[in-house]
Amino acid sequence: QVQLVQSGAEVKKPGSSVKVSCKASGDTFSRYIISWVRQAPGQGLEWMGMIIPIIGITNSTQKFQGRVTITADKSTSTAYMELSSLGSEDTAVYYCVGQRGNRVPEYWGQGTLVTVSS
Amino acid sequence: DIQMTQSPFSLSASVGDRVTITCRASQGISNYLGWFQQKPGKAPKSLIYAASSLQSGVPSRFSGSGSGTDFTLTINSLQPEDFATYYCQQYYSYPHNFGQGTKLEVK
């Protein structure tokens, strides 16, 4: 099974961008779909988007379209989520989640806290 | 988009109780439904996949049922470590939306 390790916490200014990485190990990266989920303080889980690294297909919710860019580097088994035009409402823990085929998305990274503050 | 409606929002129970959480999809999702447990400061943990299959290592007091639009998570004989927040998630179609969560608290 895959293990996902995310990059460290970030503090960003309003209007800037953040790029979070998610490095996979323990299994073949190309077997997985990687999704991004965020959780604002005290709130529930919000699915943001996904990538199929082996073919580069991405999908994101309408809420984030135009602001989120999800990419993957097969050579380093790393997925990335970049969110632009940050506002205070983007302060959250961001998780990457691995899913094999049409199975449940069950392999979670440890989360990356992104704080947006002036 | 498929919306997931989870209830109740919160639940108070005692050790040894049996509790049930429900999740309703706005359209049919077959059995592409997962249940997750989340404890404070931790990533969610997968408990149930395909609506009723228990993940390896998850205690048998947890069970899931349902198909189509209506699903339930049941926890028999609550243990102290079960007090947490529970989420359902559909993975039938994108976006893979979650329910709002159910916070299970000690009565």
Side-chain angles (χ1 to χ4, degrees), chain B residues 10-65:
Chain B
S10 65
L11 186 53
S12 295
S14 301
V15 172
D17 284 354
R18 178 177 188 244
V19 299
T20 298
I21 299 168
T22 65
C23 185
R24 173 166 288 177
S26 60
Q27 62 190 77
I29 58 169
S30 185
N31 67 338
Y32 289 87
L33 190 283
W35 288 98
F36 297 83
Q37 176 193 67
Q38 187 180 32
K39 296 184 178 180
K42 299 293 187 182
K45 171 188 173 184
S46 177
L47 301 176
I48 302 278
Y49 64 96
S52 59
S53 297
L54 205 62
Q55 288 283 10
S56 175
V58 174
S60 58
R61 61 181 180 272
F62 291 90
S63 64
S65 65

Side-chain angles (χ1 to χ4, degrees), chain A residues 33 35 37 39 43-47 50 52 59-62 95 99 102-106 108-111, chain B residues 1 32-34 36 38 41-46 48-50 55 87 89 91 94-100:
Chain A
I33 298 167
S35 295
V37 173
Q39 186 170 38
Q43 303 301 308
L45 301 170
E46 180 176 30
W47 191 88
M50 53 69 77
I52 305 175
N59 183 300
S60 60
T61 61
Q62 199 163 5
Y95 294 101
Q99 175 187 15
N102 63 353
R103 301 181 188 182
V104 70
E106 63 184 294
W108 292 70
Q110 83 276 20
Chain B
D1 295 1
Y32 289 87
L33 190 283
F36 297 83
Q38 187 180 32
K42 299 293 187 182
K45 171 188 173 184
S46 177
I48 302 278
Y49 64 96
Q55 288 283 10
Y87 294 92
Q89 183 193 24
Y91 51 102
Y94 293 113
H96 288 177
N97 287 331
F98 293 88
Q100 300 93 323

Side-chain angles (χ1 to χ4, degrees), chain A:
Chain A
Q1 63 186 37
V2 71
Q3 290 85 45
L4 301 174
V5 178
Q6 298 181 222
S7 49
E10 303 260 14
V11 179
K12 293 293 182 179
K13 299 286 189 189
S16 67
S17 299
V18 67
K19 191 170 186 177
V20 180
S21 68
C22 171
K23 184 171 176 60
S25 64
D27 198 358
T28 305
F29 186 54
S30 59
R31 290 181 176 174
Y32 292 85
I33 298 167
I34 302 294
S35 295
W36 290 89
V37 173
R38 78 175 186 181
Q39 186 170 38
Q43 303 301 308
L45 301 170
E46 180 176 30
W47 191 88
M48 300 177 66
M50 53 69 77
I51 187 166
I52 305 175
I54 193 171
I55 52 177
I57 286 179
T58 62
N59 183 300
S60 60
T61 61
Q62 199 163 5
K63 176 177 179 178
F64 297 105
Q65 282 177 10
R67 275 213 305 145
V68 70
T69 304
I70 298 173
T71 57
D73 183 341
K74 290 180 287 185
S75 68
T76 60
S77 300
T78 304
Y80 300 90
M81 186 284 299
E82 184 171 21
L83 189 62
S84 62
S85 302
L86 291 170
S88 58
E89 67 278 6
D90 295 313
T91 293
V93 175
Y94 290 77
Y95 294 101
C96 61
V97 191
Q99 175 187 15
R100 275 196 68 174
N102 63 353
R103 301 181 188 182
V104 70
E106 63 184 294
Y107 305 105
W108 292 70
Q110 83 276 20
T112 297
L113 174 62
V114 174
T115 303
V116 182
S117 174
S118 54

